[in-house]
Amino acid sequence: MAAISREEFVDLLQDEIGLAVGGDDLGRALDEVPGWDSLHLLTMLVLLEKRVRRPLSLPDFLEAASLESVYELVNR
Amino acid sequence: MAETPVRLLSVGTALPGPPIDTAALAGAFGMDQVWRQWVDTFIGTRTRHLAVDLSTGERRDSLADLGERAAVQALTRAGISAEEIDVVVLGTATPDTLMPATVNVVAERLRIDGVPAFQLQSGCSGAVQTFDVAASLLATGRYRTALVVGGDVIAKHYDVKADLTALPPDELVNYVLFGDGAGAAVLSTAGPPEAPVLRSVLTRLSGLDRAPGQILRWYGLADRDATEAPASEDYKAIEEFVPVLAEETADELLDDLGWDRAEVDYLLPPQLSVAMTGKITARLAFPAAEEVSCVAETGNNGNALVFFQLDRLLPRMTRPSRAIAVAIESSKWIKSGLALERA
């Protein structure tokens, strides 16, 4: 079972980080996500840590090409 | 500059409390590894000093406390007594009170009285602005020796109980960038020949039709429940514009002085963060200049930054040598820079 479902991930991006993304946007490159920047990366990882209840490591995510990649890393 | 050269006789600095490393900062806010890794990667600041006790929220040092300490150190190093100070200029974005102006509180503690004292409401260009005002006054010949001070204490904006996961990015960034501190310098037309000469100083408002990159609000009885964030930062605009303005400033200084880029021995670049300072220094491309920076240890302490850089420059400034400092204020966008030369 996934640590966080795809729907929960999209909700977190929309509601808690304020990104205007839907489920269809997960495959977009991070730098194509409207408004995306490194502070969003920080907020996202801190919130995901709380949600999945395990420590995450930044270097794993620096190479993530898309939100989909982030989602897969969190559920690995 | 003035026909009688204005010399930089000394610099003093003051930091509150012990250095707080990123692990301690993260721990105080309940953050862990990924937060530390992010600060290390995207900000790069290793330590900062805060006038507030992170565990209790208690405020330990005021701007006047730090300004006084820095000024005493500068006066002592210059061998100048308070009675010999003819004018005082202080720059800050975070005065202890709006009235009395903190410059006058610092002056009183130093037993300075009966002289002009000015306070500039300023940001990262504040130190250079104090130099500009002081040097202009010294150039009139009416005054001989000036004490300039700059510093910031962000305790008011540092909520130790804040939930950093709930803050929007434009507020969160304040917790990872800034620190507290104060600096001071003694400028004089009566200095010894070995003291560096202030060859040029410029400040340029560059904010026409450009939205503020940083906003600090203040509240009173009638609007104390305002919902606007007291401190917020358009960090994307800052990332975009500060390197451009820094380059324009350095180029203007060099043009005014007729100095070749390769003739500058020391570069004091803008101190936003280790990461941003690195990018800007590379862009400024002074081929022979040694970088003099402080932000990795002090954090971004606004009006104090250039003083901390000068404090590091003076002991290592060989003779002869030339130094250029560039500072950019991103609130309403102010370019500033100064040039020093040691014969």
Side-chain angles (χ1 to χ4, degrees):
Chain A
M1 185 179 147
I4 179 170
S5 72
R6 198 171 291 272
E7 291 72 27
E8 288 171 330
F9 182 53
V10 172
D11 286 348
L12 180 144
L13 296 173
Q14 288 176 344
D15 302 339
E16 299 189 52
I17 306 179
L19 291 172
V21 294
D24 296 341
D25 296 314
L26 294 190
R28 294 169 77 165
L30 288 177
D31 54 11
E32 289 175 8
V33 174
W36 178 262
D37 60 45
S38 64
L39 272 149
H40 289 113
L41 175 66
L42 172 63
T43 305
M44 180 180 70
L45 292 179
V46 168
L47 290 171
L48 284 171
E49 266 192 339
K50 274 170 65 175
R51 187 66 61 92
V52 303
R53 296 184 180 171
R54 71 174 174 88
L56 302 175
S57 183
L58 180 71
D60 296 342
F61 292 87
L62 289 179
E63 302 301 321
S66 64
L67 291 168
E68 182 72 37
S69 314
V70 171
Y71 176 73
E72 287 167 8
L73 281 166
V74 172
N75 279 310
R76 184 181 289 173
Chain B
M1 295 302 300
E3 290 178 14
T4 306
V6 172
R7 293 178 190 276
L8 173 60
L9 302 197
S10 67
V11 177
T13 55
L15 291 166
I20 298 166
D21 65 19
T22 303
L25 186 69
F29 287 101
M31 296 291 138
D32 56 16
Q33 171 184 270
V34 76
W35 200 86
R36 291 199 307 273
Q37 290 172 328
W38 185 91
V39 173
D40 290 344
T41 303
F42 290 99
I43 305 295
T45 302
R46 292 191 291 273
T47 61
R48 65 286 291 155
H49 293 251
L50 294 170
V52 59
D53 185 321
L54 273 181
S55 58
T56 64
E58 182 190 356
R59 191 164 167 174
R60 291 180 300 221
D61 304 87
S62 66
L63 180 64
D65 293 335
L66 298 175
E68 176 191 4
R69 276 170 49 199
V72 166
Q73 188 177 64
L75 290 169
T76 304
R77 286 175 171 176
I80 294 277
S81 68
E83 295 78 40
E84 293 173 88
I85 295 298
D86 303 312
V87 58
V88 185
V89 186
L90 183 150
T92 186
T94 53
D96 292 327
T97 54
L98 295 183
M99 296 183 78
T102 305
V103 65
N104 299 323
V105 178
V106 173
E108 179 178 48
R109 292 189 185 186
L110 299 170
R111 309 304 295 168
I112 292 174
D113 204 27
V115 302
F118 304 106
Q119 183 161 307
L120 310 179
Q121 192 169 314
S122 50
C124 288
S125 288
V128 179
Q129 290 172 295
T130 66
F131 272 62
D132 201 357
V133 171
S136 302
L137 289 167
L138 295 177
T140 65
R142 292 163 62 197
Y143 312 104
R144 194 168 67 167
T145 302
L147 173 68
V148 293
V149 184
D152 279 299
V153 168
I154 54 169
K156 183 190 291 292
H157 302 284
Y158 219 88
D159 179 2
V160 298
K161 295 189 176 68
D163 176 5
L164 298 194
T165 63
L167 284 179
D170 63 341
E171 294 178 53
L172 172 63
V173 69
N174 291 317
Y175 284 85
V176 297
L177 280 181
F178 293 104
D180 297 334
V186 177
L187 299 172
S188 181
T189 52
E194 64 270 21
V197 173
L198 185 63
R199 284 291 176 216
S200 183
V201 54
L202 71 84
T203 61
R204 300 274 185 272
L205 176 60
S206 308
L208 204 60
D209 298 326
R210 189 174 276 165
Q214 193 157 45
I215 297 176
L216 277 183
R217 296 184 174 85
W218 59 279
Y219 296 111
L221 271 181
D223 62 354
R224 62 185 164 181
D225 297 323
T227 54
E228 290 175 303
S232 62
E233 178 165 319
D234 184 350
Y235 53 89
K236 290 182 186 174
I238 290 170
E239 281 181 8
E240 180 180 352
F241 291 130
V242 170
V244 176
L245 298 176
E247 189 172 23
E248 290 174 5
T249 306
D251 289 346
E252 184 176 346
L253 273 173
L254 291 173
D255 284 349
D256 286 351
L257 291 158
W259 288 3
D260 188 88
R261 241 181 173 72
E263 295 172 341
V264 175
D265 303 289
Y266 305 95
L267 174 66
L268 285 57
Q271 302 288 295
L272 294 82
S273 68
V274 173
M276 277 292 290
T277 295
K279 287 179 190 167
I280 294 168
T281 301
R283 179 179 179 132
L284 292 179
F286 281 75
E290 178 184 339
E291 179 190 339
V292 183
S293 286
C294 62
V295 69
E297 289 82 36
T298 61
N300 181 340
N301 53 23
N303 280 266
L305 286 168
V306 171
F307 292 101
F308 279 90
Q309 291 170 279
L310 291 171
D311 199 13
R312 290 165 187 225
L313 169 70
L314 285 187
R316 67 173 93 164
M317 203 172 180
T318 55
R319 300 176 65 182
S321 63
R322 290 170 166 176
I324 281 199
V326 175
I328 308 295
E329 176 177 335
S330 53
S331 62
K332 197 51 184 158
W333 307 100
I334 300 169
K335 300 191 281 192
S336 74
L338 58 83
L340 292 168
E341 184 169 27
R342 210 168 169 207

